[in-house]
């Protein structure tokens, strides 16, 4: 991880700006949402028509692209793993994460629409609150919890009293 952080800090501002384009799909959800809400397969369902393919496609992209990303970030265990900043393919990594962010933004639109159709009018105001709490709890468990489990001292104290 230290190698990755030092490599990223050595990247040019231009490369960092290119990588920042990954977040655009979430910024452009307002333009994409009407399409997600209006196009669907009636027999499959308005939301499932988007959620199932998005989840499958994201899974395939993560599974089949994981070696590429590991190699680019210098995390791979192979001899060909590159730690040289000059060899970093910023456009390829940006395209990889842009596709994932686009799929996750699409999923976010479909889930938000699903929540609006499932919740009663009285509870619709609580939906975004529950969504926000769930996302923050997920971030906490994914980052802080994962770090605690990877720390030998913390793991020994928590799991082996």
């Amino acid at each position: 991880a230290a190698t990755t952080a030092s490599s990223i800090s050595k990247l040019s501002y231009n490369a960092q700006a290119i990588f920042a384009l990954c977040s655009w799909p979430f910024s452009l959800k307002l333009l994409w949402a009407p399409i997600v809400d209006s196009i669907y397969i009636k027999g499959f369902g308005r939301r499932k028509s988007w959620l199932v393919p998005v989840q499958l496609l994201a899974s395939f992209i993560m599974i089949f692209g994981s070696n590429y990303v590991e190699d680019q970030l210098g995390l791979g265990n192979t001899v060909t793993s590159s730690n040289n900043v000059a060899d970093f393919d910023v456009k390829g990594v940006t395209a990889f994460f842009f596709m994932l962010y686009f799929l996750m933004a699409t999923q976010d639109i479909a889930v938000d629409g699903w929540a609006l159709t499932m919740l009663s009018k009285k509870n619709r105001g609580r939906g975004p609150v529950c969504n926000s709490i769930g996302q923050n709890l997920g971030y906490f468990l994914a980052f802080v919890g994962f770090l605690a489990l990877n720390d030998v001292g913390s793991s020994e104290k928590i799991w082996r009293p």
Side-chain angles (χ1 to χ4, degrees):
T3 304
T4 304
S6 64
S7 296
I8 290 173
S9 66
K10 292 177 188 172
L11 289 175
S12 69
Y13 287 122
N14 186 31
Q16 292 179 32
I18 290 171
F19 187 73
L21 296 174
C22 290
S23 63
W24 276 27
F26 275 93
S27 300
L28 300 174
K29 278 186 352 181
L30 186 64
L31 301 174
W32 181 233
I35 296 168
V36 173
D37 283 339
S38 62
I39 299 174
Y40 61 95
I41 301 167
K42 289 186 182 194
F44 197 50
R46 183 179 291 252
R47 307 305 171 196
K48 283 191 283 184
S49 295
W50 287 95
L51 288 175
V52 172
V54 161
Q55 286 294 303
L56 290 173
L57 194 56
S59 299
F60 287 129
I61 289 171
M62 284 189 263
I63 289 168
F64 295 114
S66 61
N67 289 333
Y68 170 74
V69 173
E70 276 188 354
D71 186 46
Q72 289 300 312
L73 296 179
L75 301 173
N77 294 329
T78 61
V79 178
T80 60
S81 180
S82 174
N83 287 332
N84 188 0
V85 175
D87 294 337
F88 186 74
D89 181 18
V90 70
K91 291 180 182 175
V93 172
T94 301
F96 176 83
F97 283 103
F98 185 89
M99 286 187 295
L100 282 178
Y101 274 52
F102 178 76
L103 292 171
M104 295 306 104
T106 304
Q107 174 185 300
D108 198 40
I109 293 166
V111 168
D112 288 346
W114 195 10
L116 285 175
T117 57
M118 283 192 328
L119 295 173
S120 65
K121 287 187 179 186
K122 182 179 100 175
N123 289 331
R124 283 188 187 159
R126 296 179 182 149
V129 174
C130 291
N131 189 10
S132 178
I133 290 170
Q135 282 183 346
N136 286 316
L137 185 62
Y139 292 149
F140 177 77
L141 291 174
F143 295 115
V144 177
F146 185 73
L147 289 173
L149 291 173
N150 277 323
D151 179 45
V152 176
S154 296
S155 292
E156 291 296 324
K157 288 177 187 175
I158 293 171
W159 302 113
R160 297 182 188 182

